[in-house]
């Protein structure tokens, strides 16, 4: 499709997504950034103003969101619910990281599946003149979560794996790459996208009160092994996987996750300034789905950011 045939999109964004939004707009001449005044009343509740609201009538509108904490969800939902009501031609919500995706099931009566709760909240976005909201999410934790959303939204599940594949082909040892999955869940989630690479699968086994990472399948010996998963929190599983792979002869170990959540600055345990960490991970790739993490790890080895900007720009033109 030629650029002249693409629809013009007015893109709004939350404060912490400003850099990503600018990168998205730089990918296309027909994506125009729009601004919002994010203010608060004296009692702390949001006082929000959507600039140029009247100019949005009949236009294709999108909002780039980041639900990085409970505190910002309400103010962003207030905008997300308001934009479709401004007589826009269509509305797209880009939420790169669906934060409650790993809490998608009940293991015993009384557990609350907050993935379902957030999906219900997003399913109540008002319908625009063009129909249901398009909801763009990257590497949601479990694909069956698509069934948590109602008919008022159309979930579009994208992935950051093509960015990883492109980066791997640029490495000088690209012919020696082996992809490792930290558990069966990661293998099920990603192996079809990476089936042209040799694979290694790790697993967790219970020994007494502890869960120990073991090598289940594959041979990492002499190779640059890249551990692939959808997200990282404390990073404990990745570190244990690295130790197992190194013990089985891996020449180098790197990691990729789409979502670098890293609560409580847990990314610090991976930086090369820490003793022994330089030998542990050659590269640690994340995307910019979690903007606060991107700012925190800037220019800190072994981290590299693979930007979703181009992929988001393409999704906005669907």
């Amino acid at each position: 499709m030629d650029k002249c045939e693409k629809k013009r999109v007015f893109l709004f964004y939350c404060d912490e997504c400003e850099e990503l939004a600018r990168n998205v707009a730089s990918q296309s001449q027909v994506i125009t950034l729009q601004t919002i005044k994010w203010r608060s009343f004296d009692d702390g509740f949001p006082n929000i103003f959507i600039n140029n609201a009247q100019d949005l009538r009949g236009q294709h509108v999108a909002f780039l969101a980041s639900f990085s904490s409970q505190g910002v969800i309400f103010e962003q939902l207030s905008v997300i619910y308001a934009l479709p009501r401004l007589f826009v031609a269509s509305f797209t919500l880009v939420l790169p990281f669906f934060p409650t995706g790993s809490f998608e099931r009940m293991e015993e009566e009384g557990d609350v599946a907050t993935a379902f709760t957030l999906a219900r909240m997003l399913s109540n976005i008002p319908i625009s003149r063009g129909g249901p909201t398009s909801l763009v999410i990257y590497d949601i934790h479990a694909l069956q979560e698509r069934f948590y959303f109602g008919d008022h939204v159309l979930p579009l599940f994208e992935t950051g794996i093509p960015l990883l594949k492109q980066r791997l082909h640029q490495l000088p040892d690209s012919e020696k790459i082996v992809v490792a999955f930290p558990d069966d869940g990661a293998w099920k989630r990603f192996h079809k996208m990476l089936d042209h690479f040799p694979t290694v699968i790790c697993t967790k086994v219970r020994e007494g009160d502890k869960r120990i990472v073991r090598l289940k399948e594959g041979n990492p010996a002499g190779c640059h092994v890249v551990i692939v998963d959808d997200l990282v929190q404390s990073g404990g599983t990745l570190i244990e996987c690295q130790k197992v792979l190194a013990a089985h002869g891996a020449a180098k170990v790197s990691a990729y996750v789409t979502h670098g959540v890293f609560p409580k600055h847990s990314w610090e345990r991976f930086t090369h300034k820490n003793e022994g960490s330089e030998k542990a991970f050659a590269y640690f790739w994340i995307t910019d789905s979690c903007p606060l993490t991107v700012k925190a790890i800037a220019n800190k080895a072994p981290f590299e950011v693979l930007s979703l900007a181009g992929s988001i720009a393409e999704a906005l033109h669907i």
Side-chain angles (χ1 to χ4, degrees):
M1 182 183 290
D2 295 333
K3 287 186 177 180
C4 60
E5 297 176 339
K6 291 182 178 180
K7 63 184 181 184
R8 178 168 294 279
V9 178
F10 286 10
L11 177 61
F12 292 88
Y13 52 90
C14 66
D15 274 348
E16 64 189 65
C17 282
E18 181 175 357
E19 182 177 354
L20 177 55
R22 293 190 182 281
N23 289 338
V24 171
S26 71
Q27 303 289 319
S28 172
Q29 295 180 353
V30 293
I31 297 177
T32 305
L33 292 185
Q34 302 293 310
T35 58
I36 294 170
K37 293 178 182 176
W38 301 95
R39 303 165 300 188
S40 297
F41 291 107
D42 291 340
D43 60 5
F45 279 87
N47 175 16
I48 303 167
F49 185 81
I50 299 171
N51 294 316
N52 305 315
Q54 296 232 0
D55 297 338
L56 301 180
R57 294 179 179 179
Q59 303 295 331
H60 299 285
V61 173
F63 182 77
L64 179 57
S66 176
F67 290 175
S68 58
S69 68
Q70 299 177 58
V72 300
I73 291 178
F74 178 70
E75 65 179 15
Q76 291 183 51
L77 277 178
S78 299
V79 171
I80 291 165
Y81 283 16
L83 285 171
R85 293 182 175 274
L86 296 175
F87 289 90
V88 301
S90 70
F91 180 61
T92 301
L93 171 61
V94 182
L95 181 64
F97 175 48
F98 187 78
T100 59
S102 56
F103 307 102
E104 85 284 8
R105 61 185 180 272
M106 295 174 58
E107 295 185 354
E108 63 177 312
E109 195 66 36
D111 285 341
V112 177
T114 51
F116 181 58
T117 306
L118 184 55
R120 291 179 70 184
M121 294 167 69
L122 296 176
S123 297
N124 282 291
I125 298 172
I127 294 176
S128 69
R129 293 179 67 186
T133 292
S134 298
L135 173 59
V136 182
I137 297 174
Y138 282 81
D139 289 319
I140 197 166
H141 186 67
L143 284 176
Q144 63 265 29
E145 291 176 50
R146 71 170 64 240
F147 303 113
Y148 292 179
F149 295 92
D151 293 338
H152 285 186
V153 294
L154 300 174
L156 175 63
F157 294 134
E158 297 282 12
T159 178
I161 294 298
L163 299 173
L164 171 64
K165 291 164 68 174
Q166 182 181 26
R167 183 68 182 93
L168 293 181
H169 287 305
Q170 296 169 350
L171 296 177
D173 57 357
S174 60
E175 299 301 317
K176 298 287 288 182
I177 296 293
V178 168
V179 170
F181 300 104
D183 51 41
D184 287 330
W187 177 83
K188 291 176 182 176
R189 187 73 179 79
F190 295 117
H191 81 277
K192 290 183 179 179
M193 305 179 201
L194 296 161
D195 59 1
H196 58 292
F197 290 104
T199 59
V200 168
I201 304 175
C202 296
T203 188
K204 291 181 181 177
V205 297
R206 187 171 294 280
E207 292 187 0
D209 295 333
K210 297 182 179 180
R211 298 193 68 182
I212 309 298
V213 175
R214 294 281 185 256
L215 187 66
K216 179 181 178 182
E217 295 179 21
N219 180 16
C223 296
H224 182 178
V225 184
V226 181
I227 306 170
V228 175
D229 210 348
D230 62 322
L231 61 86
V232 59
Q233 297 270 1
S234 69
T237 298
L238 293 179
I239 289 173
E240 292 304 311
C241 283
Q242 184 277 329
K243 292 177 181 178
V244 170
L245 294 167
H248 283 80
K252 286 193 291 187
V253 178
S254 296
Y256 165 85
V257 297
T258 303
H259 310 298
V261 184
F262 290 121
K264 300 179 180 179
H265 303 283
S266 55
W267 54 266
E268 292 178 346
R269 65 196 303 193
F270 293 93
T271 56
H272 283 178
K273 69 179 181 180
N274 288 337
E275 184 178 353
S277 63
E278 187 163 2
K279 295 181 181 179
F281 288 90
Y283 299 93
F284 199 130
W285 294 290
I286 65 173
T287 75
D288 41 6
S289 66
C290 299
L292 297 182
T293 297
V294 170
K295 291 180 180 179
I297 57 90
N299 302 315
K300 293 182 175 66
F303 290 103
E304 285 187 12
V305 177
L306 308 178
S307 182
L308 296 172
S311 178
I312 292 173
E314 291 180 7
L316 292 178
H317 291 307
I318 294 177

